[in-house]
């Protein structure tokens, strides 16, 4: 009996000597990733308004000093008024616009850390309003946001030759 009590006492003492393993703390949420997720929702609403030819709502997502960098070579940092006219032209020229296979990624700062901006890759599918012919266009854009969550700059890329081949 003494041996059993001694054995139990030894086990209890050894067990109490073990270092307690501390659970790792959950990482602190990155405020820039929280901004990014909010800005993705704004980007989706912005693109949906464009797809629906909702020019009133479409323009409400951008700032008054909005800058557009279109894919055309030699044209960069265009003012909001030029962008608005170009978008009206797109809305008039293309029907049934739908961004498919959309992928949203965080914009990165100079240290390769998320900064709240949004990068979007996707495939636009549409019909030409005049002919009804189907078209497709691979597309990439970066949306830059201010602290209020409005788009300050849109830079986009697609092969404009692909679009002309569709005509």
């Amino acid at each position: 009996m003494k041996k059993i009590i001694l054995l139990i006492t030894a086990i209890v003492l050894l067990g109490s000597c073990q270092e307690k393993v501390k659970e790792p703390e959950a990482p602190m949420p990155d405020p820039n990733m929280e901004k990014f997720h909010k800005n993705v929702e704004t980007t989706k609403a912005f693109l949906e308004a464009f797809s629906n030819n909702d020019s009133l709502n479409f323009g409400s997502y951008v700032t008054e000093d909005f800058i557009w960098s279109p894919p055309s070579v030699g044209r960069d940092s265009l003012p909001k008024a030029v962008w608005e006219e170009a978008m009206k032209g797109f809305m008039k020229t293309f029907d049934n616009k739908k961004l498919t296979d959309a992928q949203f990624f965080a914009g990165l700062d100079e240290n390769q850390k998320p900064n709240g901006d949004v990068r979007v890759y996707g495939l636009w599918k549409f019909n030409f309003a005049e002919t009804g012919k189907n078209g497709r266009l691979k597309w990439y854009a970066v949306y830059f946001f201010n602290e209020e969550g409005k788009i300050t700059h849109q830079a986009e890329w697609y092969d404009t030759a692909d679009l002309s081949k569709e005509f």
Side-chain angles (χ1 to χ4, degrees):
M1 187 66 160
K2 284 184 182 182
K3 288 182 182 183
I4 292 175
I5 293 174
L6 189 56
L7 180 62
I8 292 172
T9 305
I11 291 173
V12 169
L13 286 174
L14 285 174
S16 65
C17 291
Q18 291 181 358
E19 189 176 319
K20 299 225 181 218
V21 177
K22 190 175 182 182
E23 291 290 322
E25 292 181 25
M28 294 296 293
D30 182 343
N32 285 331
M33 284 305 290
E34 290 176 12
K35 267 197 263 183
F36 161 71
H37 291 298
K38 182 180 174 213
N39 292 340
V40 165
E41 294 308 312
T42 299
T43 303
K44 287 178 179 179
F46 174 77
L47 295 170
E48 185 69 25
F50 172 71
S51 293
N52 294 330
N53 291 345
D54 184 356
S55 57
L56 292 177
N57 216 0
F58 183 61
S60 71
Y61 296 101
V62 302
T63 60
E64 284 304 313
D65 59 348
F66 173 80
I67 299 294
W68 178 43
S69 296
S72 311
V73 175
R75 299 186 70 195
D76 194 21
S77 301
L78 301 175
K80 183 177 179 180
V82 173
W83 170 77
E84 287 173 329
E85 286 304 309
M87 292 305 108
K88 286 178 188 173
F90 278 115
M91 290 178 184
K92 186 176 172 183
T93 304
F94 306 108
D95 290 333
N96 304 315
K97 296 175 294 300
K98 180 83 176 150
L99 182 61
T100 62
D101 304 321
Q103 298 177 37
F104 299 86
F105 297 96
L108 304 175
D109 65 15
E110 58 278 352
N111 298 314
Q112 300 302 301
K113 301 287 184 195
N115 62 4
D117 295 330
V118 177
R119 298 177 292 145
V120 185
Y121 297 83
L123 177 68
W124 281 103
K125 293 182 179 178
F126 50 86
N127 301 99
F128 288 92
E130 192 174 301
T131 65
K133 182 180 174 185
N134 293 336
R136 299 162 40 110
L137 184 68
K138 289 181 183 177
W139 176 78
Y140 168 63
V142 180
Y143 292 95
F144 301 89
F145 288 81
N146 65 12
E147 289 302 314
E148 290 79 41
K150 286 205 166 207
I151 301 168
T152 61
H153 184 178
Q154 175 186 359
E156 60 181 332
W157 296 267
Y158 56 82
D159 188 347
T160 53
D162 284 349
L163 193 56
S164 345
K165 283 191 278 187
E166 297 287 344
F167 287 106

